[in-house]
Amino acid sequence: MNVVNRVKVEDCFDGSAVFNYELSEPWTEQSIQRLAGLGHFQYFADFPRPLFCLRTDAGLFVNGVAGSYDCRVVLPRTNREQVQKTLDDVLIEELNTHEEHH
Amino acid sequence: MIYLNNAATAWPKAPGVVEAVSECLASVPEHPGRTAAAAHRLPDACRGRLARLFGVEHADRVVITQHATQALNLAILGLCLHAGDEVVTSVMEHNSMLRPLSRLEDMQGLRLTVIGLTPEGNLDENAFEQAIARGPRLVAINHASNVTGQVMPVAALFKQAHRAGAVTLLDASQSLGHIPVNAEALNADIIAFTGHKGLRGPAGIGGLYVRKGLELEQVIVGGTGVRSDLRLHPGEMPTRLEAGTPNMPAMAGLNAALCWIEEHGAAFEAAASVRTAQLRAGLKSISGVRLFGQREGEPAIGVVSFRILGWPVEEAGYVLTESFGIVCRTGLHCAPLIHSAIGSAPDGTLRFSPSGATTEQEIAETIDAVKRMAA
């Protein structure tokens, strides 16, 4: 899985915090569960469209819906560039490392 | 999909609006003074219906604009406020009011007094009276908050303003179509409004009512289609404040919406009140939900602002929309000052705004969704 595109999402603030990550493959239950180690992770399998929420100590939120080709990333108020770079590295590494094992 | 974002823009539009816009676009274009001789009929009809809504006799005092923001700018700039003039407004205002005023504060030395709320959530009347005693030029107030739904005691506030000699400007963007907006009863000299919210017309159209005897200076001038022989823009209302080719398709849609409202508006708004009350009561019963700025029995429009414990506002909005298919609004709602007053700063609130088209089943599903998130 790769990040194909990062699109800024307009919000009430300066628009620099919220991104939509477009992915090369859809979220599966397996790929969603691989995020569990990256922070406080919740998977709402019983919601109408099963959805995950990942929150990290750095103040980052990542949300996505099973079956969709994207996820919503909300960066913290401070240190945004570093947090986003770490997310990109860790997210892709985590997903792809596990893919290889499977 | 459950649409609970009517305070942003009404959907579905009033019956007849889509057809009227479509028919206008498909027909040979008519523009007042520019093409067909009968082209003034639509603007006249639209103005007439709006004048009736405002309870005013002279339809030529109703100016058609692109939106409420343009209308508020025409009013605020058209009053030619000078350095040292005081303007009284409130923390409840939308940026369409706050930003033109703040700009004049910075550029022209206008004295801007922003009235806050009491701990109970009412406009601070003591602060308002003190400001009025200083003799402001303008008192500019929101009729209903787009964040809390609270309806301001405009008639009483504007009565005090008139006693002090101030001009009164009402932002009826969130109230027109939902509750009565009678210019005389509210003591409003100027009323700005939009066509796409409570009136359930298309976006791209709004307007301004200006009391007879009060003439605003022109801010935007140019082509009018009439009196093209004059070197300067005509001074007669409503042309005085209208320049450029009018948005006839939007006007056709608004006129259709106004026709529908005349017959069905009261019943539609009664249904909206019932749905809002059901929604409010349902959310209130959920532990882990905090409602903002609402008290039982007080006048309000169909807006419910809240937060779900443990859910950041932005994330909660995403979950409601993407997982449950509930369209809502999150954040500051373009009204940045109210959030400090009601305790929802800095991230704002989740906002549901049902309408008379919202079903009881949709309200039940929405309450259930929030319940599941709060569990």
Side-chain angles (χ1 to χ4, degrees):
Chain A
M1 183 187 281
N2 284 305
V3 178
V4 176
N5 201 7
R6 296 167 187 78
V7 181
K8 276 187 181 179
V9 178
E10 284 187 11
D11 64 357
C12 275
F13 303 98
D14 66 0
S16 62
V18 187
F19 286 81
N20 196 59
Y21 275 39
E22 294 170 12
L23 307 168
S24 59
E25 294 167 48
W27 288 105
T28 61
E29 194 152 333
Q30 270 185 333
S31 59
I32 287 171
Q33 292 295 346
R34 282 177 211 138
L35 300 177
L38 300 181
H40 177 65
F41 174 82
Q42 286 177 290
Y43 181 52
F44 300 93
D46 60 334
F47 278 11
R49 292 178 74 206
L51 170 143
F52 70 86
C53 298
L54 172 68
R55 299 171 190 173
T56 73
D57 290 340
L60 175 78
F61 302 142
V62 185
N63 304 110
V65 174
S68 72
Y69 278 79
D70 60 4
C71 61
R72 174 77 63 99
V73 172
V74 183
L75 299 172
R77 289 180 193 282
T78 55
N79 204 19
R80 283 182 181 165
E81 281 184 15
Q82 183 57 44
V83 171
Q84 189 168 25
K85 187 175 181 320
T86 306
L87 166 75
D88 290 1
D89 294 346
V90 171
L91 184 72
I92 298 307
E93 189 185 336
E94 179 71 14
L95 293 171
N96 289 334
T97 301
H98 284 272
E99 271 175 7
E100 284 163 17
H101 292 169
H102 290 274
Chain B
M1 192 268 290
I2 298 173
Y3 188 77
L4 295 180
N5 200 19
N6 287 278
T9 192
W11 188 85
K13 298 301 178 189
V17 169
V18 172
E19 294 80 0
V21 172
S22 212
E23 189 183 331
C24 184
L25 286 168
S27 304
V28 174
E30 294 183 348
H31 290 112
R34 294 170 174 88
T35 53
H40 60 85
R41 282 182 194 155
L42 176 58
D44 287 352
C46 212
R47 274 187 238 284
R49 292 197 160 89
L50 289 163
R52 280 201 290 281
L53 269 186
F54 295 130
V56 299
E57 191 181 339
H58 302 285
D60 62 350
R61 305 304 298 183
V62 178
V63 174
I64 304 295
T65 65
Q66 292 172 23
H67 34 59
T69 299
Q70 185 189 5
L72 284 165
N73 273 269
L74 287 178
I76 290 165
L77 296 173
L79 284 166
C80 294
L81 300 162
H82 302 296
D85 284 347
E86 181 162 0
V87 174
V88 178
T89 189
S90 84
V91 293
M92 313 278 273
E93 307 308 312
H94 190 277
N95 272 337
S96 55
M97 180 79 90
L98 291 173
R99 284 177 172 168
L101 291 174
S102 297
R103 183 166 170 265
L104 288 186
E105 184 180 31
D106 286 1
M107 290 176 65
Q108 294 185 10
L110 181 83
R111 285 187 297 136
L112 186 58
T113 299
V114 182
I115 306 295
L117 303 182
T118 63
E120 294 77 34
N122 295 320
L123 193 78
D124 186 340
E125 288 184 14
N126 289 335
F128 184 79
E129 280 170 18
Q130 285 170 21
I132 289 296
R134 293 194 293 268
R137 278 271 324 268
L138 171 66
V139 173
I141 299 279
N142 203 343
H143 197 183
S145 165
N146 68 321
V147 177
T148 64
Q150 187 177 357
V151 175
M152 304 289 276
V154 169
L157 298 173
F158 281 181
K159 191 174 181 182
Q160 289 184 65
H162 275 167
R163 279 193 195 131
V167 172
T168 57
L169 166 60
L170 181 70
D171 178 1
S173 298
Q174 288 293 340
S175 58
L176 190 62
H178 295 309
I179 55 176
V181 182
N182 182 291
E184 194 178 340
L186 294 175
N187 301 306
D189 296 319
I190 310 172
I191 302 172
F193 62 95
T194 184
H196 71 106
K197 295 179 192 270
L199 296 182
R200 301 180 70 211
I205 194 155
L208 191 67
Y209 158 74
V210 185
R211 169 178 60 76
K212 198 168 173 63
L214 174 65
E215 298 304 340
L216 298 175
E217 287 303 316
Q218 296 158 335
V219 178
I220 301 169
V221 296
T224 53
V226 296
R227 298 307 316 267
S228 298
D229 56 319
L230 297 178
R231 191 174 72 85
L232 296 177
H233 196 96
E236 299 80 28
M237 287 286 277
T239 313
R240 179 186 182 87
L241 301 178
E242 291 179 351
T245 303
N247 186 346
M248 296 298 275
M251 205 183 297
L254 178 59
N255 190 54
L258 290 165
C259 282
W260 189 86
I261 281 173
E262 285 172 357
E263 200 168 336
H264 306 285
F268 188 81
E269 291 308 319
S273 295
V274 171
R275 296 290 170 257
T276 306
Q278 288 170 340
L279 181 59
R280 196 168 285 170
L283 293 177
K284 196 177 173 186
S285 71
I286 304 170
S287 67
V289 168
R290 180 183 173 193
L291 295 170
F292 289 95
Q294 296 145 8
R295 285 173 301 162
E296 300 291 333
E298 294 208 334
I301 56 162
V303 167
V304 184
S305 252
F306 67 102
R307 276 203 201 155
I308 307 170
L309 195 67
W311 288 91
V313 167
E314 166 69 28
E315 194 175 49
Y318 178 86
V319 174
L320 284 165
T321 304
E322 296 300 324
S323 185
F324 291 92
I326 299 169
V327 181
C328 60
R329 176 91 189 255
T330 62
L332 302 182
H333 316 298
C334 295
L337 300 185
I338 192 174
H339 295 282
S340 293
I342 64 172
S344 55
D347 296 324
T349 66
L350 283 155
R351 184 185 73 185
F352 287 151
S353 46
S355 78
T358 310
T359 66
E360 197 165 358
Q361 176 66 24
E362 287 175 327
I363 295 293
E365 285 179 29
T366 301
I367 293 166
D368 182 59
V370 175
K371 212 175 268 181
R372 289 169 72 177
M373 288 177 68

